[in-house]
Amino acid sequence: MAEPGGAEPGGAEDGICPWCGTDPLYRAYHDTEWGVPVRDERPLFEMLVLESFQSGLSWITILRRREGFRRAFAGFDPDILARFGPADVDRLLVDPGIIRHRGKIEATVANARAALALRDSGPGLAAFLWAAVDGQPLTNHFTTGTEVPGKTALSDALARRLKQAGFRHLGSTTVYAFMQAAGLVNDHLTTCPRHAEISVGA
C-alpha cells in the first residue's frame, strides 16, 4: 500500500484510514487534505516535490518540515526555483528546515524547469497530470489497507511520462503516493467518512 510514509496501522476504531494513527498533525492532514482533488499548478508542483523528498522516509517527517520546505523553495514557485544554481543547492544542503539530500534538491530545480517547459509548450503541469485519469478522480473501494496498491499501471505510465518530460526522482511508487495525496485517486477506505465526503465533493 502506498500509504503516506508507510505509517504503521493502528487506532482506526472510528473507521478512518488507519495509517494516520493518532498524531494530531497526521490526523489533520488525513481529515482535510489527503485525497482532496487539487487542480492548481503550484500546489500540485509542491506535492510532487514533497513526495519526491518523502522517498525512503516517513511522511510525517515531511509534514513536520513542510513550512521549512516552503521557505527554502520560494513557496514552490517554479519561476524562481528554475533559476536556482549550484550556490543555491549548497546553501540548501545546510538548511536544517528541510531534508538535506543533494540529489533530491537538484531534482527539485530540474523539476521546476520541467514544469515551466510544460507551461511553455501548452498543456501546463495540471493538465499534464490530470490527463493520467482523463481529468476525473478515480474512486476506489478498498475496505482494508492491505488492498491498497503501492503503484498501478496508471502510476507506471505517468512516471514514464514525467521522466520523458524531464522530471526526476519520481518513480511509480512515489507517483502513486502523489496521485493519492492530490486526489487523482480516492484511496480512503470505504469505512472512512472521508471516502464518501471526497467522492461527493469531487
Side-chain angles (χ1 to χ4, degrees), residues 19-20 24-38 47 63 66 181 188 192 194 197-198:
W19 54 259
C20 59
L25 184 62
Y26 230 171
R27 285 293 295 264
Y29 173 71
H30 167 275
D31 293 349
T32 62
E33 295 186 58
W34 193 71
V36 176
V38 176
M47 296 171 88
L63 281 182
R66 182 157 58 168
H188 283 277
C192 177
R194 293 296 289 157
E197 291 166 1
I198 289 174

Side-chain angles (χ1 to χ4, degrees), residues 1 3-23 26-27 30-31 34 142-148 187-194:
M1 175 180 178
E3 295 170 338
E8 289 297 324
E13 292 83 359
D14 52 2
I16 73 162
C17 304
W19 54 259
C20 59
T22 57
D23 183 286
Y26 230 171
R27 285 293 295 264
H30 167 275
D31 293 349
W34 193 71
F142 302 121
T143 58
T144 66
T146 56
E147 296 175 76
V148 183
D187 271 352
H188 283 277
L189 302 185
T190 55
T191 56
C192 177
R194 293 296 289 157

Side-chain angles (χ1 to χ4, degrees), residues 21-158:
T22 57
D23 183 286
L25 184 62
Y26 230 171
R27 285 293 295 264
Y29 173 71
H30 167 275
D31 293 349
T32 62
E33 295 186 58
W34 193 71
V36 176
V38 176
R39 296 183 182 272
D40 293 335
E41 302 254 335
R42 192 177 298 188
L44 284 169
F45 179 72
E46 174 178 335
M47 296 171 88
L48 272 179
V49 171
L50 293 180
E51 290 293 351
S52 75
F53 270 91
Q54 184 271 329
S55 178
L57 301 169
S58 65
W59 182 243
I60 192 65
T61 299
I62 302 301
L63 281 182
R64 288 171 178 157
R65 289 170 171 78
R66 182 157 58 168
E67 291 308 315
F69 276 107
R70 287 172 173 166
R71 174 187 49 76
F73 289 130
F76 292 97
D77 185 334
D79 289 285
I80 298 175
L81 278 173
R83 298 195 295 270
F84 276 26
D88 296 293
V89 173
D90 290 341
R91 170 177 54 82
L92 292 173
L93 282 170
V94 295
D95 188 331
I98 66 170
I99 304 300
R100 292 171 284 183
H101 184 290
R102 180 179 292 276
K104 294 178 181 180
I105 293 170
E106 291 176 342
T108 298
V109 177
N111 293 346
R113 293 169 182 164
L116 292 185
L118 282 178
R119 186 178 70 191
D120 293 342
S121 66
L125 181 62
F128 180 90
L129 294 168
W130 277 93
V133 291
D134 295 327
Q136 294 298 320
L138 300 178
T139 300
N140 290 319
H141 296 85
F142 302 121
T143 58
T144 66
T146 56
E147 296 175 76
V148 183
K151 59 181 181 177
T152 66
L154 284 177
S155 67
D156 290 346
L158 181 53

Side-chain angles (χ1 to χ4, degrees), residues 158-173:
L158 181 53
R160 285 194 299 270
R161 292 187 66 221
L162 284 164
K163 183 175 181 179
Q164 291 165 358
F167 288 84
R168 294 163 47 184
H169 222 284
L170 292 168
S172 183
T173 299

